[in-house]
Amino acid sequence: MSYETALRDEVHQRLDRIGQAGIMVGIPSYNNAGTIGHVVQQAAQGMVEHFPDLKPVLMNSDGGSPDGTMDVVRNTEALAGVEVVAGQYQGLPGKGSAFRAIFEAAEMLGVKACVVVDSDLRSVTPDWIRRLAGPIVHEGYDYVTPFYSRHKYDGTITNNIAYPMTRALYGVDVRQPIGGDFGFSGKLAKAYAGKDVWETNVARFGIDIWMTTTAINEGFRMAQTYLGAKIHDAKDPAAHLGPMFRQVVGSLFMLMTTYAERWQRVEEVQQAPILGEKLVAEPEPVNVTLSALIDKFKAGFEENADLWQQAMNDANFDAVAELAGLSQDAYGFPVDLWARVVFDFAVAYNHGIEGLTPDEMLDSMTGLYYGRTAGFVKTTWDMTTAQAEEVVNAQAKAFMRLKPYLVGRWNERP
Ligand SMILES: Nc1nc2c(ncn2[C@@H]2O[C@H](COP(=O)(O)OP(=O)(O)OP(=O)(O)O)[C@@H](O)[C@H]2O)c(=O)[nH]1
Ligand SMILES: [Mg+2]
């Protein structure tokens, strides 16, 4: 069933009664009763303290949490002057649908700026709201992405795919394209709300990459903003990231068809300006299990070798097959090979492989992502976060350097 709107009647009526607002913070949630109270307090305080001239609204867009998340929001104190809306969205279950309701609400209220922050954040402060909304309210930007200090093993989908692909495809260096905490203008919220993507992975964890890619390609002014450390309920990449990988990468690949004319012409990279005073912060360590990652890669090879062979060119497949035979000591996953593998799958996803659904392709690619993550972990094991950052940067450059390979394969349709 498809929905015309993500706003349920009761939420719509509540927004109608509020009428108009100047600034809004939207918080998506699903079972975050333990952490959302803090986020609500900080966000509300941030609006009141830093934007006293704008009428503030805080909206929690929940996925029907059985743990009482919305009650926590409604009962949180210290919100003098802030209108609080806690409601369930309708549509496909997922973070993207929750955001769709927030976009629609921002449009209805005619806000100048909207900020979204995750409900599992522990490092959010009122100052985050200033840093995310300030460039929109005062400097005419439409889209602001977070620039965090993250631990080297937090954000492995970002570092190994979302960041290098966004930079190489669209020529914009935006370090956290799927960071989850963003600021955007009312104008951009309206543009997002008007799109027809809510039956796709964009309704789930594809939302972040879609927001960033859309903002870049539809000419919205964008910037990054220093936020310090992102401390949240981070996940071990070996244990929890499979579905998120499919949804993010599926959306990223899908968008390559939408914007094919544009990315094929891009040869230069420009950094989106990083605004604000730098925040120095020590991120919390994220644990990874190297042996588990390598095992998952090898299991993926056992299970999907045929499919990998169909998706990849022969030389790439042979190189990957060789890696699957290595011991942990000898293991490594070269950056150039990884870039070509991602490009092979991007082409296979968009042009199709007979007898395979796009989701099956992404499922099988997860094993390769574990393989590259293991390679990254091995290379950076003894490195500081700053040194690991250089590895991420070099990898992004490799994607750009090898882009002609992608363009060539993209255009050799059967
Ligand atoms: N409404 C709603 N919100 C969701 C859903 N899934 C996730 N969210 C929210 O989206 C935000 C991000 O989700 P997380 O699970 O923290 O994911 P993440 O931090 O991007 O991912 P990691 O970096 O892997 O930890 C949180 O505020 C979640 O509560 C959902 O199905 N419905
Ligand atoms: Mg999180």
Side-chain angles (χ1 to χ4, degrees):
M1 173 164 182
S2 75
Y3 291 88
E4 298 267 301
T5 168
L7 297 174
R8 286 174 187 257
D9 286 346
E10 63 269 21
V11 178
H12 198 278
Q13 284 159 16
R14 176 89 173 82
L15 293 166
D16 249 347
R17 282 197 297 274
I18 295 173
Q20 177 281 331
I23 185 167
M24 181 166 109
V25 174
I27 310 174
S29 64
Y30 186 67
N31 283 342
N32 303 97
T35 49
I36 200 167
H38 175 69
V39 180
V40 168
Q41 261 168 354
Q42 301 298 306
Q45 199 184 325
M47 288 190 283
V48 171
E49 213 171 278
H50 296 295
F51 301 95
D53 301 336
L54 298 176
K55 179 175 162 183
V57 172
L58 186 143
M59 176 166 169
N60 168 220
S61 187
D62 187 73
S65 308
D67 73 345
T69 298
M70 284 193 286
D71 296 329
V72 173
V73 174
R74 292 191 187 109
N75 296 330
T76 298
E77 306 265 335
L79 297 176
V82 179
E83 294 275 9
V84 178
V85 183
Q88 208 179 318
Y89 60 80
Q90 60 183 12
L92 269 188
K95 180 181 170 183
S97 292
F99 271 36
R100 183 188 185 194
I102 293 167
F103 301 147
E104 291 181 316
E107 184 183 358
M108 266 183 82
L109 297 172
V111 300
K112 202 163 177 175
C114 183
V115 167
V116 282
V117 286
D118 284 352
S119 50
D120 64 337
L121 279 173
R122 276 170 278 126
S123 55
V124 60
T125 62
D127 193 47
W128 275 34
I129 306 303
R130 176 180 71 83
R131 288 169 182 264
L132 287 164
I136 292 164
V137 174
H138 304 301
E139 296 177 65
Y141 285 97
D142 286 299
Y143 190 58
V144 179
T145 63
F147 194 94
Y148 319 107
S149 340
R150 290 180 87 162
H151 183 261
K152 59 187 176 177
Y153 300 142
D154 189 19
T156 51
I157 300 175
T158 298
N159 293 348
N160 292 298
I161 302 204
Y163 171 59
M165 283 293 271
T166 301
R167 181 165 145 174
L169 289 173
Y170 306 110
V172 181
D173 180 347
V174 41
R175 184 63 185 84
Q176 298 292 338
I178 57 170
D181 311 305
F182 301 108
F184 45 88
S185 62
K187 186 173 101 185
L188 183 51
K190 182 167 186 241
Y192 287 148
K195 300 266 181 191
D196 177 19
V197 289
W198 310 109
E199 304 300 310
T200 72
N201 280 317
V202 173
R204 299 193 271 248
F205 279 121
I207 183 72
D208 299 26
I209 192 67
W210 174 82
M211 286 170 72
T212 298
T213 306
T214 303
I216 291 174
N217 285 290
E218 304 202 356
F220 289 94
R221 264 188 89 202
M222 57 191 287
Q224 315 181 68
T225 193
Y226 286 111
L227 290 185
K230 171 176 174 129
I231 300 175
H232 66 140
D233 298 340
K235 305 175 189 80
D236 176 339
H240 300 292
L241 292 184
M244 185 180 274
F245 177 87
R246 286 191 292 277
Q247 293 162 24
V248 172
V249 178
S251 302
L252 192 155
F253 284 174
M254 173 190 87
L255 287 160
M256 287 175 73
T257 289
T258 311
Y259 297 114
E261 296 300 314
R262 272 190 116 254
W263 66 255
Q264 290 189 65
R265 283 186 274 117
V266 171
E267 288 170 2
E268 306 268 301
V269 178
Q270 277 210 323
Q271 189 184 49
I274 312 179
L275 309 176
E277 322 81 65
K278 199 167 181 163
L279 282 174
V280 189
E282 195 46 48
E284 276 191 351
V286 173
N287 292 318
V288 295
T289 322
L290 178 60
S291 58
L293 287 167
I294 295 180
D295 288 348
K296 285 187 160 229
F297 166 60
K298 290 183 176 179
F301 181 75
E302 290 301 318
E303 202 181 316
N304 299 301
D306 284 352
L307 200 162
W308 289 4
Q309 193 158 22
Q310 280 176 281
M312 289 183 221
N313 95 356
D314 290 346
N316 295 339
F317 177 76
D318 292 345
V320 164
E322 205 167 306
L323 299 187
L326 296 177
S327 67
Q328 183 168 323
D329 275 350
Y331 188 81
F333 200 125
V335 161
D336 283 21
L337 176 61
W338 173 240
R340 286 198 206 91
V341 165
V342 173
F343 291 162
D344 283 349
F345 271 85
V347 172
Y349 185 89
N350 282 287
H351 294 177
I353 293 181
E354 224 178 279
L356 278 181
T357 66
D359 274 348
E360 286 170 325
M361 253 184 265
L362 288 174
D363 258 334
S364 90
M365 193 186 169
T366 314
L368 287 153
Y369 155 69
Y370 290 126
R372 172 55 198 148
T373 304
F376 179 77
V377 168
K378 253 204 96 168
T379 308
T380 57
W381 193 255
D382 294 318
M383 289 186 183
T384 61
T385 288
Q387 290 166 328
E389 187 61 23
E390 268 317 299
V391 175
V392 172
N393 190 34
Q395 170 165 267
K397 283 189 178 146
F399 274 67
M400 191 58 164
R401 175 165 42 77
L402 295 168
K403 188 172 175 182
Y405 170 81
L406 169 65
V407 175
R409 287 217 59 187
W410 186 271
N411 292 309
E412 68 188 37
R413 278 174 176 277

